[in-house]
Structures are given as structure tokens and as C-alpha cells.
């Protein structure tokens, strides 16, 4: 179990979130905690921001520019604003593919298709 805590000039006792795994964002004010195989919580400035309720069992999480949530067979990436999959990483036998999703282009295409 990981326990996250902060310190300041005045040290105050506080309850820290606990979980199976902990990762940082590139922004040092944001982090994620995998609380269970189906729940990942995102925090900003040590306040809970949102909860990802997964429809698969997560085996691990990765931090950085995106939050990566790994299952046994694939990985799903979320941005820290919790828009689903900004990037998609696919591995097919001996090849690997990385696709990028541009939110502005996607929104414009959706608006155009749905009139």
C-alpha cells in the first residue's frame, strides 16, 4: 500500500489516501492512485478531482503526460482532465502502433457528422 502525504511549514496531521499503486503527473500538483482493480482516483493539489470507474481489471497505472491504465492485454490512456484515450497504443504480434487523438479535430468532426 502506498500512502501519500504532504508537508508544509506547519505540520498538520491529515488523512492520506491509500491504494495499490501511486503515480505522478508531469505537473507535480497532480497524481493518481489505483485503489482497486476497477477504480483509479485522480488528485490535484492533494484534493480528489475525479474517479475513473473502469469496466476492466487494471493491473497497473503509469503517470506522466497521460494516465495510463494497463489491463492484461491492452492499455488505455486518459488525459489528466479525464477525457478518454488521448493516445492509443496497440501491439499486434511483432508490430507496435501509436495513434494520436486530437480533441479539437474530433469535436469538429463529431459536430459535422451529427449536424
Amino acid at each position: 500500500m502506498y500512502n501519500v502525504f504532504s508537508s508544509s511549514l506547519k505540520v498538520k496531521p491529515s488523512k492520506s489516501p491509500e491504494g495499490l499503486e501511486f503515480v505522478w503527473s508531469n505537473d507535480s500538483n497532480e497524481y493518481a492512485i489505483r485503489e482497486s482493480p476497477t477504480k483509479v482516483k485522480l488528485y490535484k493539489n492533494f484534493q480528489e478531482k475525479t474517479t475513473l470507474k473502469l469496466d476492466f481489471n487494471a493491473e497497473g497505472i503509469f503517470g506522466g503526460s497521460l494516465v495510463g491504465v494497463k489491463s492484461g492485454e491492452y492499455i488505455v490512456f486518459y488525459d489528466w482532465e479525464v477525457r478518454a484515450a488521448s493516445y492509443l497504443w496497440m501491439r499486434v504480434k511483432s508490430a507496435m502502433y501509436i495513434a494520436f487523438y486530437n480533441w479539437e479535430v474530433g469535436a469538429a468532426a463529431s459536430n459535422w457528422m451529427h449536424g
Side-chain angles (χ1 to χ4, degrees):
M1 290 246 175
Y2 290 91
N3 201 358
V4 180
F5 59 90
S6 68
S7 64
S8 62
L9 294 176
K10 281 186 170 181
V11 177
K12 300 182 245 181
S14 64
K15 178 155 174 40
S16 300
E18 293 183 1
L20 303 172
E21 198 169 6
F22 168 87
V23 295
W24 286 106
S25 162
N26 283 348
D27 175 350
S28 63
N29 294 316
E30 294 180 307
Y31 60 93
I33 294 176
R34 182 169 64 101
E35 289 193 339
S36 74
T38 58
K39 188 190 300 184
V40 176
K41 287 192 176 179
L42 304 182
Y43 293 82
K44 184 166 187 164
N45 297 322
F46 297 97
Q47 299 293 317
E48 183 179 330
K49 189 160 94 172
T50 192
T51 299
L52 300 174
K53 294 180 182 169
L54 309 170
D55 58 358
F56 60 91
N57 285 330
E59 293 182 357
I61 58 175
F62 304 93
S65 297
L66 300 169
V67 181
V69 182
K70 176 186 171 284
S71 80
E73 299 187 14
Y74 56 89
I75 185 168
V76 178
F77 292 95
Y78 298 88
D79 68 12
W80 289 90
E81 299 304 315
V82 192
R83 293 181 289 200
S86 291
Y87 290 86
L88 175 63
W89 173 19
M90 300 174 290
R91 184 176 56 117
V92 181
K93 293 195 179 183
S94 62
M96 182 178 79
Y97 303 93
I98 299 175
F100 174 72
Y101 184 79
N102 183 312
W103 288 101
E104 290 78 26
V105 172
S110 179
N111 289 339
W112 177 78
M113 288 176 20
H114 297 100

